Amino acid sequence: MKSIVIKEPNALVIEERERVEPGIGEVRVKVKLAGICGSDSHIYRGHNPFARYPRVIGHEFFGVIDAVGEGVTDKKIGQRVCIDPVISCGHCYPCSVGKPNVCTSLVVLGVHRDGGFSEYAVVPAKNAWLVADNIADHHAVMVEPFTIAANVTGQVQPTEADVALIYGAGPMGLTTLQALKGVYHVKQAIVVDRINERLAMAERCGADWVINNGDKPLADWLEEKGIKPTLIVDAACHPTILQEAITLASPAARIVLMGFSSDPSTITQQGITGKELSIFSSRLNANKFPVVLEWLEKGLIDPDKLITHYFDYHHVIDAIELFEKDQKSCCKVLLTFDK
Ligand code: NAI
Ligand code: MN
Ligand code: ZN
């Protein structure tokens, strides 16, 4: 089988590898589609502190089970599945409180262990989620990015009274926007970015207002409109955003952080306590695959609005380079593995 391997930073090869048999409790998936994410590019470029090389990247993938390991009773050859990349121990403290996504021995497919940019991938059977017949392949491959949004929204339980502000109209901001509007029906959703083409995507994904904060300070715009956001999601993840969000938030608002910057954010206690703000963070997903599969079955979200490109996996370098260089035209770039 062919696998896309990062041998070391900046060295990507499509390598012939032995197709391994699934072990106890595992299934093998014949991969059909996979999505490129920022973290794949970070591992390729050597900017992911968790990555070890060589590594088959890819944590967003969909395919068909083609072999079943010993002891697996709930999965069969031929079933369509999307894969939860989060592998957890099941008994540590975070696992015991429902947060396997921050398991003390967390393993993420495509990061700590070989992932889905490969003709075949062996994964724990319980990480393979059955996809209903009425969910298309190109929607099934989008489940993982939407689980990030499901995790964010799961932290804060949005309501129809919320006025949401989302920083960043990249894939993460847009999946979160679709969840806030399509699933939770927040009263208003405002999206802020510096790239007009991405703001146009946000409008297509249901934003009530879009603001280019490169043209005009966000604070001025909100003040003119008299808007105080009650729920703020930082899907742009610059360290300066937290203090701005604290300043702009309504009293009693919730703020969700998604970023991994190691640079400090300077914030004031008074800004938070004076309004009794709640600050949440969200990493990967905690058992959100069934949640998103249900959203898709009910038609509450529309992955089509995020998919901008398809590449045959042989052209993965072109695909990643386009994804890295052209934020105006790219949102989700998918790799096909049919040939
Ligand atoms: P992206 O880079 O495609 O999108 C970020 C967007 O934010 C861009 O459109 C950019 O123009 C905009 N932006 C940057 N600074 C801004 C500012 N000061 N104000 C307004 N807009 C600004 O990235 P993607 O894939 O959407 O991911 C977003 C962030 O979420 C990344 O930092 C990534 O590391 C993080 N992430 C976190 C996950 C988690 O589980 N916590 C999972 C996946 C991504
Ligand atoms: Mn991803
Ligand atoms: Zn654990």
XYZ file of all heavy atoms in Angstrom, residues 206-307:
778
model
N -23.878 31.302 7.265
C -24.943 31.732 8.159
C -24.635 32.888 9.087
O -25.462 33.212 9.956
N -23.491 33.552 8.918
C -23.182 34.687 9.800
C -24.196 35.816 9.581
O -24.572 36.101 8.449
C -21.769 35.204 9.518
N -24.627 36.432 10.665
C -25.530 37.577 10.554
C -24.749 38.839 10.200
O -25.252 39.725 9.524
C -26.285 37.761 11.865
C -27.139 36.557 12.174
O -28.169 36.386 11.510
O -26.753 35.753 13.056
N -23.529 38.931 10.738
C -22.658 40.073 10.458
C -21.252 39.545 10.226
O -20.829 38.629 10.934
C -22.581 41.032 11.653
C -23.875 41.601 12.107
C -24.656 41.139 13.117
C -24.516 42.768 11.602
N -25.766 41.925 13.269
C -25.700 42.953 12.354
C -24.215 43.691 10.592
C -26.573 43.998 12.124
C -25.090 44.737 10.372
C -26.263 44.891 11.130
N -20.539 40.141 9.281
C -19.120 39.846 9.153
C -18.352 41.163 9.199
O -18.815 42.181 8.676
C -18.783 39.060 7.862
C -19.464 37.691 7.860
C -19.145 39.847 6.619
N -17.212 41.126 9.852
C -16.421 42.346 10.037
C -14.973 42.071 9.683
O -14.393 41.095 10.160
C -16.480 42.809 11.505
C -17.928 43.088 11.887
C -15.632 44.050 11.734
C -18.176 42.757 13.307
N -14.406 42.961 8.864
C -12.968 42.884 8.587
C -12.266 43.810 9.577
O -12.328 45.030 9.449
C -12.686 43.292 7.136
C -11.230 43.070 6.799
O -10.333 43.291 7.630
N -10.972 42.607 5.589
N -11.629 43.221 10.582
C -10.999 44.043 11.617
C -9.622 44.537 11.187
O -8.932 45.198 11.961
C -10.942 43.307 12.974
C -10.100 42.045 12.926
O -9.836 41.509 11.853
N -9.681 41.561 14.079
N -9.226 44.215 9.940
C -8.053 44.871 9.372
C -8.437 46.266 8.889
O -7.624 47.199 8.899
N -9.697 46.429 8.485
C -10.180 47.734 7.994
C -10.607 48.642 9.140
O -10.432 49.845 9.089
C -11.423 47.551 7.096
C -11.104 46.775 5.820
O -9.909 46.654 5.492
O -12.059 46.295 5.186
N -11.210 48.038 10.158
C -11.840 48.845 11.196
C -11.772 48.104 12.518
O -12.026 46.898 12.557
C -13.310 49.051 10.801
C -14.085 49.895 11.768
C -15.477 50.189 11.239
C -16.129 51.182 12.204
N -17.242 51.884 11.627
N -11.439 48.804 13.625
C -11.376 48.094 14.903
C -12.739 47.480 15.254
O -13.780 48.126 15.112
C -10.996 49.177 15.915
C -10.401 50.284 15.113
C -11.076 50.227 13.761
N -12.692 46.253 15.700
C -13.909 45.541 16.081
C -14.666 46.272 17.182
O -15.896 46.359 17.172
C -13.507 44.133 16.536
C -14.596 43.236 17.081
C -15.667 42.973 16.038
C -13.973 41.906 17.536
N -13.907 46.833 18.142
C -14.542 47.515 19.282
C -15.435 48.665 18.795
O -16.547 48.840 19.294
C -13.467 48.045 20.233
N -14.940 49.418 17.791
C -15.723 50.555 17.280
C -17.013 50.059 16.638
O -18.089 50.624 16.838
C -14.922 51.331 16.224
C -13.710 52.020 16.815
O -13.526 51.949 18.055
O -12.929 52.612 16.035
N -16.878 48.993 15.853
C -18.053 48.459 15.153
C -19.100 47.996 16.155
O -20.295 48.315 16.036
C -17.605 47.303 14.249
C -18.698 46.798 13.362
C -18.991 47.223 12.098
C -19.661 45.792 13.695
N -20.073 46.534 11.621
C -20.509 45.658 12.567
C -19.906 44.998 14.803
C -21.569 44.752 12.539
C -20.960 44.097 14.773
C -21.779 43.990 13.645
N -18.662 47.251 17.177
C -19.620 46.737 18.167
C -20.272 47.885 18.931
O -21.470 47.859 19.231
C -18.914 45.784 19.140
C -18.484 44.424 18.562
C -17.623 43.669 19.560
C -19.689 43.582 18.170
N -19.482 48.908 19.221
C -20.031 50.038 19.973
C -21.089 50.776 19.150
O -22.168 51.107 19.657
C -18.906 50.982 20.394
C -19.375 51.914 21.497
C -18.284 52.859 21.966
O -17.115 52.434 21.994
O -18.628 53.997 22.270
N -20.761 51.000 17.866
C -21.746 51.659 16.988
C -23.074 50.913 16.974
O -24.148 51.500 16.968
C -21.223 51.691 15.544
C -20.385 52.891 15.207
C -19.640 52.678 13.891
O -20.161 51.956 13.007
O -18.525 53.214 13.773
N -22.967 49.586 16.928
C -24.181 48.764 16.850
C -24.798 48.519 18.235
O -25.883 47.947 18.333
C -23.853 47.399 16.227
C -23.446 47.473 14.769
C -24.675 47.357 13.872
C -24.339 47.239 12.415
N -24.094 48.499 11.712
N -24.060 48.868 19.286
C -24.554 48.622 20.634
C -24.600 47.138 20.988
O -25.462 46.688 21.736
N -23.649 46.373 20.443
C -23.656 44.916 20.664
C -22.608 44.527 21.698
O -21.454 44.951 21.617
C -23.372 44.157 19.345
C -24.518 44.362 18.347
C -23.137 42.663 19.606
C -24.266 43.769 16.977
N -23.037 43.729 22.682
C -22.103 43.123 23.631
C -22.227 41.607 23.527
O -23.226 41.031 23.975
C -22.414 43.571 25.059
C -22.074 45.040 25.313
C -21.762 45.277 26.771
C -21.350 46.717 27.053
N -20.088 47.083 26.373
N -21.222 40.950 22.934
C -21.347 39.500 22.728
C -21.445 38.740 24.052
O -20.749 39.054 25.021
C -20.063 39.134 21.984
C -19.438 40.408 21.561
C -19.967 41.495 22.412
N -22.326 37.750 24.053
C -22.506 36.926 25.259
C -21.727 35.622 25.183
O -21.609 34.895 26.165
C -23.998 36.593 25.447
O -24.434 35.833 24.306
C -24.834 37.855 25.574
N -21.248 35.311 23.980
C -20.489 34.071 23.778
C -19.414 34.371 22.736
O -19.737 34.776 21.617
C -21.441 32.979 23.271
C -20.843 31.662 22.804
C -19.965 31.051 23.880
C -21.964 30.705 22.433
N -18.158 34.226 23.118
C -17.063 34.555 22.204
C -16.199 33.313 22.002
O -15.791 32.668 22.967
C -16.204 35.721 22.754
C -17.085 36.948 23.014
C -15.061 36.049 21.794
C -16.348 38.176 23.543
N -15.962 32.974 20.733
C -15.111 31.825 20.415
C -13.874 32.350 19.691
O -13.992 33.029 18.667
C -15.859 30.812 19.518
C -14.938 29.648 19.165
C -17.127 30.322 20.206
N -12.715 32.033 20.220
C -11.476 32.456 19.577
C -10.947 31.338 18.693
O -10.228 30.454 19.156
C -10.429 32.863 20.619
C -9.127 33.285 19.936
O -9.114 33.434 18.702
O -8.121 33.465 20.653
N -11.311 31.404 17.412
C -10.811 30.433 16.434
C -9.785 31.109 15.515
O -9.551 30.656 14.399
C -11.959 29.839 15.630
N -9.201 32.189 15.979
C -8.081 32.824 15.265
C -6.800 32.598 16.064
O -5.734 32.390 15.500
C -8.339 34.304 15.058
N -6.948 32.664 17.387
C -5.931 32.131 18.301
C -4.647 32.942 18.388
O -3.578 32.398 18.691
C -5.619 30.671 17.976
S -7.089 29.618 17.923
N -4.730 34.239 18.167
C -3.575 35.083 18.482
C -3.626 35.410 19.975
O -4.712 35.654 20.515
C -3.607 36.359 17.636
C -2.323 37.131 17.726
N -2.059 37.973 18.778
C -1.240 37.131 16.918
C -0.841 38.489 18.604
N -0.326 37.996 17.489
N -2.460 35.416 20.658
C -2.486 35.619 22.120
C -3.099 36.955 22.571
O -3.532 37.071 23.720
C -1.009 35.557 22.523
C -0.259 35.032 21.376
C -1.119 35.103 20.159
N -3.150 37.953 21.692
C -3.727 39.238 22.104
C -5.261 39.214 22.117
O -5.886 40.126 22.660
C -3.298 40.374 21.144
O -3.675 39.991 19.812
C -1.801 40.629 21.212
N -5.844 38.204 21.511
C -7.305 38.211 21.357
C -8.022 38.052 22.696
O -9.075 38.643 22.927
C -7.749 37.142 20.333
C -7.302 37.586 18.924
C -9.253 36.902 20.377
C -7.523 36.555 17.841
N -7.446 37.282 23.613
C -8.155 37.026 24.876
C -8.493 38.328 25.608
O -9.640 38.514 26.040
C -7.327 36.088 25.771
C -7.939 35.796 27.139
C -9.355 35.247 27.033
C -7.046 34.816 27.919
N -7.511 39.229 25.735
C -7.828 40.474 26.454
C -8.866 41.291 25.703
O -9.764 41.881 26.319
C -6.560 41.301 26.720
C -6.812 42.617 27.462
C -7.514 42.436 28.815
O -7.126 41.570 29.614
N -8.560 43.225 29.066
N -8.793 41.309 24.366
C -9.811 42.052 23.609
C -11.191 41.441 23.854
O -12.174 42.154 24.074
C -9.488 42.049 22.110
C -10.501 42.847 21.306
C -10.168 42.917 19.822
O -9.274 43.702 19.450
O -10.827 42.195 19.032
N -11.241 40.113 23.857
C -12.528 39.431 24.079
C -13.079 39.759 25.462
O -14.284 39.992 25.628
C -12.354 37.921 23.909
N -12.197 39.784 26.457
C -12.623 40.122 27.828
C -13.224 41.526 27.854
O -14.262 41.774 28.473
C -11.421 39.997 28.795
C -11.047 38.518 28.973
C -11.699 40.672 30.125
C -9.696 38.295 29.652
N -12.581 42.448 27.143
C -13.047 43.836 27.124
C -14.396 43.967 26.413
O -15.268 44.709 26.854
C -12.007 44.730 26.406
O -10.751 44.536 27.044
C -12.393 46.196 26.460
N -14.555 43.231 25.313
C -15.766 43.385 24.494
C -16.961 42.600 25.025
O -18.105 42.891 24.682
C -15.481 42.920 23.054
C -14.386 43.686 22.304
C -14.163 43.064 20.932
C -14.757 45.163 22.172
N -16.713 41.614 25.886
C -17.773 40.688 26.298
C -18.839 41.365 27.148
O -18.558 42.281 27.925
C -17.166 39.524 27.084
N -20.045 40.854 27.021
C -21.142 41.229 27.923
C -20.840 40.695 29.321
O -20.165 39.669 29.454
C -22.421 40.572 27.404
O -23.400 40.500 28.414
N -21.352 41.351 30.381
C -21.310 40.689 31.688
C -21.934 39.288 31.579
O -22.867 39.087 30.798
C -22.162 41.607 32.577
C -22.075 42.944 31.918
C -21.996 42.674 30.436
N -21.397 38.352 32.322
C -21.879 36.960 32.355
C -21.605 36.181 31.077
O -22.153 35.108 30.879
C -23.369 36.883 32.713
N -20.768 36.726 30.193
C -20.470 36.028 28.933
C -19.531 34.851 29.158
O -18.895 34.742 30.203
C -19.844 37.006 27.935
N -19.490 33.967 28.152
C -18.506 32.875 28.135
C -17.558 33.101 26.962
O -17.982 33.545 25.894
C -19.181 31.500 27.958
C -20.154 31.122 29.018
C -21.559 31.568 28.679
N -22.320 30.627 27.891
C -23.250 30.978 27.014
N -23.522 32.252 26.780
N -23.918 30.046 26.349
N -16.301 32.765 27.208
C -15.267 32.868 26.172
C -14.650 31.479 26.019
O -14.351 30.830 27.019
C -14.180 33.894 26.571
C -14.795 35.290 26.716
C -13.024 33.902 25.567
C -13.844 36.346 27.267
N -14.483 31.032 24.771
C -13.843 29.733 24.547
C -12.548 29.933 23.759
O -12.560 30.539 22.685
C -14.732 28.750 23.759
C -14.126 27.340 23.821
C -16.158 28.738 24.281
N -11.465 29.399 24.293
C -10.158 29.457 23.638
C -9.891 28.140 22.921
O -10.186 27.070 23.459
C -9.049 29.672 24.669
C -9.176 30.913 25.538
C -8.022 30.947 26.537
C -9.177 32.168 24.680
N -9.285 28.245 21.729
C -8.947 27.036 20.968
C -7.464 26.964 20.620
O -7.022 26.013 19.999
C -9.736 27.026 19.656
C -11.229 27.008 19.840
S -12.068 27.064 18.250
C -11.570 25.504 17.555
N -6.711 27.993 20.981
C -5.348 28.111 20.467
C -4.300 27.387 21.285
O -4.522 27.009 22.437
N -3.137 27.202 20.671
C -2.027 26.479 21.308
C -0.752 27.325 21.346
O 0.346 26.786 21.455
C -1.749 25.174 20.552
C -2.861 24.175 20.670
C -3.859 24.096 19.706
C -2.932 23.328 21.762
C -4.897 23.171 19.826
C -3.965 22.401 21.883
C -4.946 22.325 20.914
N -0.901 28.635 21.265
C 0.298 29.481 21.282
C 1.026 29.320 22.612
O 0.409 29.178 23.669
C -0.096 30.943 21.097
O 1.038 31.751 21.280
N 2.340 29.338 22.566
C 3.110 29.293 23.812
C 3.510 30.700 24.251
O 4.197 30.869 25.260
C 4.335 28.396 23.646
O 5.087 28.824 22.542
N 3.096 31.706 23.490
C 3.355 33.093 23.914
C 2.330 33.518 24.957
O 1.175 33.118 24.893
C 3.267 34.042 22.709
C 4.397 33.803 21.728
O 5.464 33.314 22.172
O 4.212 34.078 20.529
N 2.738 34.342 25.929
C 1.783 34.747 26.970
C 0.705 35.696 26.448
O 0.928 36.455 25.512
C 2.663 35.455 28.003
C 3.911 35.821 27.300
C 4.083 34.879 26.149
N -0.475 35.629 27.071
C -1.527 36.618 26.866
C -1.555 37.474 28.127
O -1.573 36.935 29.234
C -2.896 35.949 26.728
O -2.956 35.122 25.608
N -1.579 38.781 27.966
C -1.685 39.656 29.137
C -3.157 39.963 29.372
O -3.823 40.492 28.485
C -0.915 40.972 28.884
O 0.414 40.617 28.515
C -0.890 41.846 30.122
N -3.644 39.619 30.541
C -5.058 39.864 30.850
C -5.188 40.470 32.246
O -4.284 40.327 33.074
C -5.898 38.560 30.784
C -5.300 37.484 31.705
C -6.007 38.049 29.373
C -6.179 36.271 31.858
N -6.314 41.135 32.488
C -6.525 41.709 33.812
C -7.601 40.918 34.552
O -8.610 40.532 33.965
C -6.995 43.175 33.708
O -8.201 43.201 32.937
C -5.943 44.046 33.060
N -7.372 40.697 35.840
C -8.371 40.012 36.670
C -9.686 40.780 36.677
O -10.769 40.206 36.573
C -7.865 39.897 38.114
C -6.717 38.938 38.276
C -6.329 38.791 39.735
O -6.882 39.462 40.617
N -5.375 37.925 39.992
N -9.560 42.116 36.818
C -10.765 42.933 36.944
C -11.687 42.764 35.742
O -12.905 42.694 35.892
C -10.343 44.397 37.065
C -11.454 45.306 37.502
C -10.951 46.737 37.592
O -10.583 47.328 36.567
N -10.920 47.278 38.791
N -11.058 42.686 34.548
C -11.853 42.527 33.340
C -12.699 41.264 33.391
O -13.825 41.226 32.900
N -12.159 40.228 33.991
C -12.877 38.946 34.054
C -13.858 38.933 35.227
O -15.056 38.693 35.050
C -11.875 37.772 34.214
C -10.883 37.754 33.046
C -12.620 36.440 34.316
C -9.710 36.807 33.246
N -13.355 39.215 36.425
C -14.185 39.091 37.628
C -15.263 40.172 37.667
O -16.379 39.909 38.120
C -13.303 39.181 38.889
O -12.101 38.460 38.654
C -14.014 38.637 40.103
N -14.914 41.383 37.190
C -15.888 42.484 37.213
C -17.163 42.113 36.473
O -18.245 42.575 36.823
N -17.055 41.270 35.442
C -18.240 40.853 34.673
C -18.577 39.388 34.925
O -19.448 38.828 34.256
C -17.984 41.072 33.170
C -17.781 42.538 32.800
C -17.863 42.774 31.303
C -16.529 42.686 30.628
N -16.512 43.228 29.253
N -17.893 38.779 35.865
C -18.025 37.343 36.148
C -18.067 36.518 34.848
O -18.998 35.751 34.588
C -19.231 37.024 37.034
C -19.032 35.677 37.725
C -20.149 35.298 38.700
O -20.811 36.186 39.272
O -20.355 34.094 38.885
N -17.044 36.714 34.038
C -16.935 35.959 32.784
C -16.508 34.530 33.077
O -15.838 34.266 34.081
C -15.894 36.615 31.867
C -16.137 38.076 31.501
C -15.008 38.586 30.610
C -17.489 38.257 30.815
N -16.894 33.616 32.209
C -16.400 32.237 32.277
C -15.488 31.995 31.093
O -15.875 32.276 29.953
C -17.548 31.238 32.226
O -18.448 31.480 33.289
N -14.301 31.499 31.366
C -13.348 31.235 30.285
C -13.144 29.727 30.163
O -12.786 29.061 31.134
C -12.025 31.982 30.532
C -12.318 33.483 30.557
C -11.002 31.634 29.446
C -11.128 34.364 30.763
N -13.435 29.220 28.972
C -13.327 27.786 28.688
C -12.203 27.571 27.680
O -11.826 28.492 26.950
C -14.614 27.259 28.044
C -15.810 27.279 28.941
C -16.526 28.465 29.133
C -16.239 26.124 29.578
C -17.643 28.486 29.948
C -17.359 26.141 30.389
C -18.060 27.324 30.582
N -11.721 26.359 27.617
C -10.852 25.981 26.508
C -11.392 24.689 25.911
O -12.185 23.984 26.546
C -9.412 25.792 26.982
O -9.329 24.690 27.858
N -10.973 24.410 24.686
C -11.483 23.216 24.014
C -10.373 22.624 23.172
O -9.725 23.332 22.401
C -12.679 23.597 23.138
O -13.229 22.455 22.523
N -10.144 21.320 23.355
C -9.095 20.635 22.583
C -9.684 19.385 21.929
O -10.332 18.574 22.621
C -7.955 20.234 23.518
C -6.837 19.525 22.783
C -5.665 19.168 23.658
N -4.650 18.540 22.825
C -3.583 17.907 23.293
N -3.361 17.849 24.592
N -2.722 17.357 22.465
N -9.465 19.226 20.646
C -9.922 18.025 19.921
C -11.402 17.774 20.222
O -12.189 18.721 20.222
C -9.050 16.819 20.299
C -7.554 16.979 20.021
C -6.738 15.916 20.747
C -7.276 16.922 18.529
N -11.760 16.507 20.503
C -13.163 16.248 20.812
C -13.276 15.139 21.834
O -12.482 14.204 21.858
C -13.931 15.877 19.531
C -13.893 14.391 19.235
O -14.783 13.631 19.651
N -12.845 13.944 18.562
N -14.292 15.268 22.669
C -14.599 14.243 23.676
C -15.876 13.522 23.267
O -16.983 14.036 23.491
C -14.765 14.896 25.047
N -15.732 12.378 22.624
C -16.890 11.548 22.245
C -17.941 12.304 21.419
O -19.141 12.130 21.613
C -17.567 10.966 23.495
C -16.590 10.184 24.354
O -15.816 9.387 23.837
N -16.592 10.447 25.657
N -17.489 13.132 20.510
C -18.432 13.947 19.744
C -18.751 13.378 18.369
O -19.541 13.961 17.629
C -17.894 15.379 19.612
C -17.789 16.140 20.936
C -19.144 16.341 21.578
C -19.107 17.259 22.776
N -18.655 16.583 24.015
N -18.167 12.222 17.984
C -18.502 11.673 16.660
C -19.991 11.358 16.528
O -20.614 11.745 15.535
C -17.596 10.475 16.309
C -16.360 10.915 15.563
C -15.418 11.724 16.186
C -16.168 10.567 14.235
C -14.296 12.173 15.496
C -15.043 11.018 13.531
C -14.115 11.807 14.165
N -20.605 10.679 17.502
C -22.049 10.417 17.337
C -22.885 11.696 17.311
O -23.916 11.752 16.624
C -22.407 9.542 18.549
C -21.250 9.610 19.471
C -20.038 10.018 18.675
N -22.427 12.707 18.013
C -23.163 13.988 18.024
C -23.186 14.579 16.615
O -24.240 14.957 16.086
C -22.490 14.975 19.017
C -23.129 16.353 18.927
C -22.540 14.427 20.438
N -22.010 14.642 15.983
C -21.934 15.263 14.652
C -22.627 14.386 13.601
O -23.278 14.904 12.692
C -20.467 15.556 14.275
C -20.374 16.048 12.829
C -19.875 16.595 15.224
N -22.501 13.066 13.730
C -23.210 12.191 12.776
C -24.714 12.441 12.841
O -25.407 12.447 11.821
C -22.868 10.724 13.051
C -21.454 10.320 12.570
C -21.011 9.008 13.205
C -21.408 10.225 11.041
N -25.227 12.708 14.040
C -26.653 13.032 14.178
C -26.968 14.396 13.538
O -27.991 14.540 12.861
C -27.034 13.015 15.659
C -28.538 13.028 15.872
C -28.913 13.120 17.337
O -28.234 12.504 18.182
O -29.891 13.836 17.629
N -26.092 15.371 13.748
C -26.296 16.682 13.101
C -26.404 16.509 11.590
O -27.255 17.124 10.939
C -25.140 17.634 13.393
C -25.007 18.109 14.801
C -25.830 17.855 15.854
C -23.941 18.934 15.312
N -25.348 18.468 16.979
C -24.204 19.129 16.688
C -22.814 19.531 14.748
C -23.358 19.901 17.503
C -21.974 20.289 15.547
C -22.251 20.475 16.912
N -25.511 15.660 11.022
C -25.522 15.445 9.567
C -26.807 14.741 9.131
O -27.420 15.117 8.132
C -24.309 14.615 9.148
C -22.984 15.365 9.052
C -21.843 14.385 8.807
C -23.011 16.432 7.956
N -27.199 13.719 9.886
C -28.417 12.984 9.514
C -29.628 13.899 9.514
O -30.536 13.751 8.703
C -28.650 11.815 10.473
C -27.827 10.601 10.102
C -28.297 9.370 10.851
O -29.395 8.863 10.530
O -27.571 8.925 11.760
N -29.635 14.850 10.450
C -30.773 15.775 10.534
C -30.624 16.978 9.605
O -31.510 17.846 9.572
C -30.910 16.282 11.981
C -31.361 15.206 12.965
C -31.528 15.808 14.347
C -32.095 14.816 15.345
N -31.908 15.285 16.740
N -29.472 17.083 8.934
C -29.270 18.211 8.016
C -29.081 19.547 8.711
O -29.410 20.599 8.151
N -28.546 19.544 9.929
C -28.387 20.798 10.678
C -27.136 21.582 10.266
O -27.040 22.778 10.520
C -28.322 20.501 12.192
C -29.478 19.696 12.782
C -29.286 19.494 14.275
C -30.812 20.392 12.499
N -26.182 20.883 9.682
C -24.936 21.521 9.232
C -24.710 21.141 7.774
O -25.255 20.136 7.305
C -23.723 21.052 10.084
C -23.672 19.517 10.149
C -23.764 21.678 11.479
C -22.436 18.952 10.816
N -23.908 21.957 7.067
C -23.667 21.668 5.649
C -22.174 21.729 5.316
O -21.637 22.792 5.018
C -24.441 22.660 4.776
C -24.279 22.321 3.305
O -23.589 21.315 2.987
O -24.815 23.067 2.469
N -21.513 20.566 5.346
C -20.072 20.539 5.055
C -19.725 21.051 3.660
O -18.624 21.551 3.446
C -19.713 19.048 5.169
C -20.787 18.439 5.985
C -22.022 19.234 5.700
N -20.660 20.949 2.702
C -20.361 21.404 1.333
C -19.862 22.840 1.315
O -19.060 23.214 0.464
C -21.625 21.345 0.456
C -21.997 19.920 0.097
O -21.201 19.005 0.400
O -23.089 19.730 -0.462
N -20.366 23.644 2.260
C -20.014 25.070 2.259
C -18.555 25.305 2.656
O -18.069 26.423 2.564
C -20.945 25.833 3.193
C -22.389 25.791 2.696
C -23.246 26.842 3.352
C -24.589 26.959 2.655
N -25.686 26.507 3.493
N -17.887 24.281 3.139
C -16.481 24.431 3.559
C -15.495 23.793 2.592
O -14.299 24.078 2.631
C -16.266 23.792 4.933
C -17.155 24.279 6.069
C -16.751 23.595 7.365
C -17.046 25.777 6.233
N -15.991 22.881 1.745
C -15.067 22.125 0.879
C -14.764 22.963 -0.358
O -15.665 23.290 -1.126
C -15.682 20.773 0.467
C -15.985 19.933 1.717
C -14.731 20.015 -0.472
C -16.830 18.695 1.450
